[in-house]
Amino acid sequence: MTLNRRNFLKNLGITGSLLTVPSALLQAKPRIKRGNKDLSAITLKGKVHSGGKGIAGVAVTDGINIVQTDARGQYELASNATAEFVYISVPAGYAIPENKSIAAFYQPVARTGGVQQNDFELEQLETDDRKHNFVVWADTQMRSRKDVELLKSQSVPDLQALVQSYPKGALFHGIGCGDLVWDRFELFEGYRQAVEACGIPFYNVIGNHDMDIDARTDDHSANTFKQQFGPTYYSFNRGEIHYIVLDDVFFIGAAKKYIGYLTENQLQWLEQDLALVKPGSTIVLSLHIPTYTGAGRRNKGEDPIGGTVSNRKQLYKLLAPYKVHIMSGHTHFNDNWEEGNIMEHNHGTVCGAWWTGPICGDGTPGGYGVYEVDGTDIKWYYKSTGLPKEQQLRVYAKGRLQDAPDEISANVWNWDHQWKVEWYEDGVLKGPMERRVSLDPWAVELYAGPELPKKHKFVEPTLTDHMFFAKPSAAAKQITVKATDRFGNVYEDTLMI
């Protein structure tokens, strides 16, 4: 072994990561180990096909490097025994492969060295997938069997009904946006059963409550999640949209301690993935911890280190050539921000206030995001569990919020800067309402104080940007609030005084 090769292996052992491996090492036949890390060469090869006919240009990866299938649908990828999976970026025009509704786009890599054959069979769609829909389930976060039953009895029927409300044959997929459970891994089975009952394929994201908190380092903190759902970062395609999932929960070696951070391995993989995507394309990128929110500004401080992605600007640089929608969860509030080519949708939770109340701490009802794709255009709305999709705001009586005793207030939970919120007094338009950083009145009543709520006393109301205020006259009898979203949809709620 030459000195350079010895130093190379030494560096791999120190960093715990594998980047591009020299060809001499990949061709080596003996088992190569550094400590307990096996670095033996593996050649991954196979075919991506539909009914035996090869599919060209499909991206295949081991999570380290990416190759594309040739004209016959065949691929060959020089890899290493540290690789855990070989997986594909499902191309547009094909059904999402699934196992009981869990996306099945990957195969485990056997730790035997040599040449390994892994074929992938896809089913060509009969429907044009340039028009499709997807939902984002953030923070199902179940801690008990009772929580699982609530997911099955409330959230599942709601999503089933939503899908059935669309034309027959409409394409749907789901994104489980992390914190699928709440540290209780035996409940993954309940999550899987709920997803299967929904009847649409789900891709899944790792959250901080889906990690092995007894792991020595971040490298092994996703072991259980991977056994259930496969790789923690990957991509797929549907119609003209390129979808990416990343793992931004970095475990720092102490129970329940983590930061929002993207590793160099992921960013190097992402560079390769994006190199196959035409600049100007629309990308939907999902991760658990939001890259950014308005929470720090609202609380007149900085976002906690576990609340946003510390190296997000490096991610934004890679995404600069594209039109990007980021899907995130984690915060248990609903927050939308937009700047330049990026818009982030930080979702309210499926579990509401950890299955202890019907709304999140910012007043957003428990629910999920719904996205309708037509070509490169995406429209969206928030679907509150158990409520019609037309219900997008809630109006509160004068004085319901103690800080505003003379004002009516309205929570427009999926608001962004392109919405318009107006109010009418006894049928007369009075103009736009005043938006202020505030608490939601109902959230205060349900969650404020050390004794509320009884199930999880740590839950507290949180400040939000989507509260609106107006001062009615003393003689007012009826107040109507109309909110118009960026797509021209008008929602309203009326309050009788």
Side-chain angles (χ1 to χ4, degrees):
M1 183 181 290
T2 65
L3 179 62
N4 286 341
R5 184 173 173 184
R6 185 180 298 112
N7 288 340
F8 175 75
L9 293 174
K10 181 179 179 181
N11 288 337
L12 281 178
I14 292 172
T15 62
S17 61
L18 177 64
L19 304 178
T20 303
V21 182
S23 59
L25 176 57
L26 290 170
Q27 295 168 4
K29 294 182 180 180
R31 306 296 288 177
I32 302 171
K33 300 192 77 173
R34 178 69 177 178
N36 64 355
K37 185 177 286 293
D38 191 343
L39 302 174
S40 302
I42 295 176
T43 298
L44 301 170
K45 60 189 302 184
K47 183 176 182 179
V48 182
H49 65 96
S50 179
K53 183 178 180 181
I55 306 172
V58 178
V60 185
T61 183
D62 58 356
I64 304 161
N65 292 309
I66 301 175
V67 297
Q68 288 182 287
T69 56
D70 63 18
R72 297 172 297 172
Q74 295 179 340
Y75 71 91
E76 185 168 322
L77 176 60
S79 188
N80 180 280
T82 57
E84 297 178 85
F85 302 98
V86 57
Y87 49 105
I88 63 172
S89 184
V90 178
Y94 292 87
I96 296 169
E98 59 180 273
N99 178 14
K100 296 182 178 180
S101 292
I102 300 296
F105 57 96
Y106 60 92
Q107 296 182 33
V109 172
R111 304 298 175 87
T112 56
V115 178
Q116 297 184 21
Q117 180 86 17
N118 298 94
D119 296 339
F120 296 87
E121 183 172 8
L122 299 175
E123 178 186 349
Q124 192 162 8
L125 289 168
E126 297 180 0
T127 304
D128 184 353
D129 64 355
R130 287 178 295 180
K131 192 168 186 177
H132 65 271
N133 314 285
F134 67 96
V135 300
V136 177
W137 265 17
D139 300 82
T140 46
Q141 200 149 351
M142 298 164 294
R143 193 176 188 180
S144 66
R145 297 289 178 186
K146 185 175 181 180
D147 293 345
V148 173
E149 291 309 311
L150 289 172
L151 179 70
K152 291 180 178 180
S153 64
Q154 297 178 6
S155 305
V156 169
D158 194 273
L159 180 50
Q160 289 173 330
L162 176 89
V163 173
Q164 292 169 5
S165 72
Y166 282 73
K168 186 177 181 180
L171 293 174
F172 264 93
H173 68 272
I175 298 172
C177 210
D179 281 2
L180 311 181
V181 297
W182 188 355
D183 303 324
R184 303 290 177 87
F185 294 160
E186 69 273 16
L187 301 181
F188 275 137
E189 181 58 28
Y191 173 81
R192 295 175 67 97
Q193 292 170 357
V195 163
E196 183 180 6
C198 291
I200 63 173
F202 261 75
Y203 287 92
N204 294 286
V205 180
I206 188 170
N208 53 290
H209 286 291
D210 303 318
M211 297 191 305
D212 296 281
I213 58 176
D214 57 352
R216 186 167 74 175
T217 65
D218 181 67
D219 292 325
H220 297 289
S221 65
N223 286 353
T224 301
F225 181 91
K226 290 174 182 177
Q227 291 169 7
Q228 295 283 336
F229 306 107
T232 59
Y233 58 93
Y234 52 89
S235 68
F236 62 99
N237 304 274
R238 179 148 271 199
E240 298 182 49
I241 309 298
H242 185 63
Y243 291 86
I244 298 168
V245 169
L246 295 178
D247 169 8
D248 65 349
V249 183
F250 190 88
F251 178 64
I252 60 174
K256 301 187 179 181
K257 299 293 184 181
Y258 57 88
I259 60 174
Y261 179 78
L262 294 167
T263 61
E264 177 63 18
N265 279 8
Q266 284 189 83
L267 294 177
Q268 289 205 13
W269 173 88
L270 181 60
E271 285 181 302
Q272 297 174 71
D273 182 78
L274 292 175
L276 303 177
V277 182
K278 182 181 177 181
S281 300
T282 299
I283 288 175
V284 172
L285 187 151
S286 299
L287 33 66
H288 179 61
I289 296 176
T291 66
Y292 184 71
T293 75
R297 168 182 48 78
R298 290 191 290 269
N299 291 290
K300 299 181 180 179
E302 295 184 358
D303 286 308
I305 197 168
T308 57
V309 176
S310 300
N311 57 340
R312 59 182 173 271
K313 290 185 179 180
Q314 300 304 320
L315 174 64
Y316 298 162
K317 287 179 182 179
L318 296 179
L319 298 174
Y322 309 97
K323 180 181 178 181
V324 183
H325 289 270
I326 298 176
M327 309 290 157
S328 57
H330 185 59
T331 62
H332 292 246
F333 56 66
N334 208 70
D335 197 36
N336 297 305
W337 68 267
E338 187 174 13
E339 184 175 335
N341 65 312
I342 294 176
M343 183 170 190
E344 180 157 6
H345 309 262
N346 184 215
H347 295 80
T349 64
V350 173
C351 70
W354 291 267
W355 301 109
T356 194
I359 59 175
C360 303
D362 68 337
T364 300
Y368 50 97
V370 183
Y371 297 81
E372 301 172 337
V373 180
D374 189 354
T376 60
D377 293 328
I378 303 179
K379 295 181 179 180
W380 58 88
Y381 58 90
Y382 187 87
K383 177 63 178 69
S384 303
T385 303
L387 299 177
K389 69 179 185 180
E390 292 78 17
Q391 190 165 338
Q392 296 290 324
L393 70 155
R394 186 187 307 112
V395 178
Y396 294 105
K398 184 169 64 174
R400 182 83 176 266
L401 189 66
Q402 292 183 3
D403 293 343
D406 298 322
E407 296 175 294
I408 58 103
S409 57
N411 192 332
V412 186
W413 41 79
N414 209 28
W415 172 88
D416 63 57
H417 282 284
Q418 292 195 32
W419 284 60
K420 180 173 65 174
V421 181
E422 303 169 297
W423 70 292
Y424 293 75
E425 181 180 294
D426 297 328
V428 178
L429 176 63
K430 306 297 287 187
M433 297 183 74
E434 180 187 358
R435 184 174 63 88
R436 298 201 299 262
V437 173
S438 179
L439 298 173
D440 176 88
W442 194 16
V444 172
E445 294 162 5
L446 289 173
Y447 308 137
E451 299 303 318
L452 294 175
K454 290 184 178 181
K455 183 175 179 179
H456 297 307
K457 292 184 173 57
F458 64 84
V459 178
E460 291 292 332
T462 55
L463 291 171
T464 178
D465 286 325
H466 45 70
M467 287 295 301
F468 294 80
F469 296 86
K471 188 175 181 180
S473 68
K477 293 181 174 60
Q478 177 180 291
I479 302 295
T480 297
V481 175
K482 288 188 178 180
T484 306
D485 69 12
R486 62 167 59 206
F487 310 114
N489 300 307
V490 180
Y491 310 101
E492 65 178 68
D493 191 17
T494 296
L495 176 72
M496 304 303 296
I497 298 177

